[in-house]
Amino acid sequence: KLPLKFEIVNCSNYREVAEAIKSMKIRGAPAIGVAAAFGMVLAANSSKARTYQEFVQDIGKAKIYLAHTRPTAINLFWALERVMNLINIKKDVNLFELKDLILQEAKNIAQEDVEINKKIGRCGSLLIKDGDSILTHCNAGALATVGYGTALGVIRTALKEGKKLHVYVDETRPVLQGARLTAWELMRDKIPFTLITDNMAGFLMLKNKVNLVIVGADRIARNGDVVNKIGTYSLSILARENKIPFYVAAPLSTIDLSLKSGEEIPIEERDPDEVTHILGKQIAPTGTKAFNPAFDLTPHRYIGAIITEKGIIRKPYEKNIKKIFIS
Ligand code: MRU
């Protein structure tokens, strides 16, 4: 309900968590991963299983249910897998203790997310100069993570280090994460920003009002191709044309090493009503056909650097991504 209303949604079972993810009450790649891990905690706690096998069956069902919410962000599957791996390893502990361990694992995932974001912030800040004017898209901030942000985390850190910055916020149609969430966060944290509609970005770059772009990511293939909020690809082209660096900030858990290129990343298509309507108000004639891919693919050649918690990855991405995982 942001930016006009702030409400906390309480979920008391894993189905409610899944609904919250699907309807985007909680969104942003890292945040949905953490939410899904806590969904597994709720599933574990409500399980009436008496044996380990029965328990695994119950949790397996919950895992499938939670996994069928949003297909693009890898963090969701990564977090579910991490909880499942723990369950597979701890075959020998009693169910009471196992439930406790699952809770602990979800808490760890949440806590690590904040620490990882701060590390991304410190690495990314090296790329930011005093006086920079930064364009960001969608919301890759506290509202998309446990509390600090990836792209906005970099901006937060640079500001903390004393650099003066200005942020241009793309409104990010159709769901308006920029106007509703990023603007709300930046306003709350007193970070100077200007809101623009998505189609203004090119003109701003042409007029030298923006000298850097930083976005988050929902999934990165092992060749460095990035899938992020729809509109990211166009920004990368505009940045290239205007000789402006284009950076992606994301935790390593967003990199899907199993995928050779971004072509293999599933792109969620959402209800066309999000395009024909804005905040529930119809803006197109009744019966208008609309297309609504929620994400797009930015080929790695347009990306100046991928900022992770373990450092800044540059081209050639395939080689350097591999290197960072084994370092
Ligand atoms: O559809 P959303 O709002 O979940 O999409 C979010 C994004 O595309 C973010 O840029 C991405 O998840 C990174 S959030 C740190």
Side-chain angles (χ1 to χ4, degrees):
K1 296 191 178 161
L2 288 171
L4 302 182
K5 266 194 189 166
F6 180 90
E7 271 176 30
I8 303 280
V9 177
N10 288 303
C11 299
S12 47
N13 59 58
Y14 75 83
R15 285 173 193 272
E16 286 178 12
V17 175
E19 192 283 326
I21 295 173
K22 211 177 170 71
S23 61
M24 293 173 68
K25 291 188 182 76
I26 186 153
R27 35 64 54 198
I32 62 178
V34 174
F38 280 101
M40 294 287 267
V41 173
L42 291 171
N45 288 350
S46 65
S47 166
K48 302 213 169 19
R50 286 163 180 253
T51 64
Y52 176 82
Q53 278 71 23
E54 285 170 11
F55 183 70
V56 170
Q57 256 180 10
D58 284 353
I59 298 295
K61 248 193 257 165
K63 183 190 164 203
I64 292 171
Y65 196 86
L66 285 159
H68 275 89
T69 48
R70 299 194 71 192
T72 303
I74 183 73
N75 308 61
L76 172 72
F77 310 101
W78 170 86
L80 289 172
E81 219 41 68
R82 192 161 143 178
V83 175
M84 217 55 210
N85 283 344
L86 172 90
I87 296 169
N88 290 335
I89 293 166
K90 301 286 176 186
K91 280 193 178 68
D92 302 326
V93 302
N94 69 53
L95 291 183
F96 189 72
E97 262 179 70
L98 185 52
K99 289 179 186 181
D100 226 41
L101 289 173
I102 295 171
L103 172 62
Q104 201 45 56
E105 187 71 350
K107 284 184 176 171
N108 289 345
I109 294 174
Q111 201 187 327
E112 284 166 22
D113 186 67
V114 180
E115 287 158 17
I116 286 170
N117 282 192
K118 290 195 172 161
K119 283 185 189 158
I120 291 173
R122 286 196 289 277
C123 291
S125 179
L126 299 171
L127 300 171
I128 311 269
K129 294 182 305 300
D130 189 28
D132 271 349
S133 184
I134 303 171
L135 177 72
T136 190
H137 190 64
C138 193
N139 172 267
L143 291 165
T145 57
V146 176
Y148 195 71
T150 54
L152 291 190
V154 171
I155 292 169
R156 274 199 176 89
T157 308
L159 284 162
K160 249 189 229 152
E161 290 172 356
K163 295 169 192 165
K164 285 208 175 57
L165 307 175
H166 191 82
V167 184
Y168 280 96
V169 177
D170 258 0
E171 66 169 349
T172 319
R173 267 286 279 154
V175 180
L176 301 171
Q177 288 93 333
R180 295 165 64 192
L181 309 180
T182 299
W184 181 84
E185 253 191 77
L186 297 180
M187 183 82 87
R188 182 194 62 179
D189 298 346
K190 300 190 173 52
I191 298 174
F193 74 94
T194 303
L195 178 67
I196 58 167
T197 60
D198 300 324
N199 48 2
M200 294 175 186
F203 185 58
L204 254 73
M205 291 183 194
L206 191 68
K207 291 287 171 195
N208 297 320
K209 289 202 177 295
V210 169
N211 64 310
L212 196 87
V213 180
I214 308 185
V215 296
D218 288 86
R219 204 187 291 213
I220 301 173
R222 66 168 185 259
N223 68 345
D225 286 354
V226 166
V227 162
N228 188 50
K229 180 54 53 196
I230 191 78
T232 302
Y233 169 56
S234 328
L235 281 180
S236 75
I237 304 283
L238 288 170
R240 170 63 55 94
E241 168 67 17
N242 289 282
K243 301 185 176 53
I244 292 169
F246 181 91
Y247 299 134
V248 174
L252 291 177
S253 56
T254 298
I255 302 180
D256 186 345
L257 291 177
S258 74
L259 303 184
K260 225 171 140 193
S261 87
E263 294 295 334
E264 295 170 54
I265 301 175
I267 303 284
E268 176 184 9
E269 271 185 43
R270 295 186 62 84
D271 192 335
D273 277 7
E274 289 179 353
V275 177
T276 55
H277 292 64
I278 297 183
L279 301 177
K281 190 176 174 355
Q282 187 174 333
I283 56 159
T286 304
T288 295
K289 264 200 210 143
F291 177 47
N292 189 15
F295 302 97
D296 64 22
L297 164 63
T298 301
H300 58 91
R301 63 181 177 279
Y302 295 116
I303 298 166
I306 300 173
I307 307 159
T308 75
E309 68 272 31
K310 272 188 153 183
I312 295 167
I313 311 177
R314 300 261 191 194
K315 289 170 191 140
Y317 286 115
E318 180 112 34
K319 181 169 149 231
N320 291 336
I321 285 175
K322 222 184 257 166
K323 234 188 191 168
I324 214 154
F325 270 92
I326 52 175
S327 70

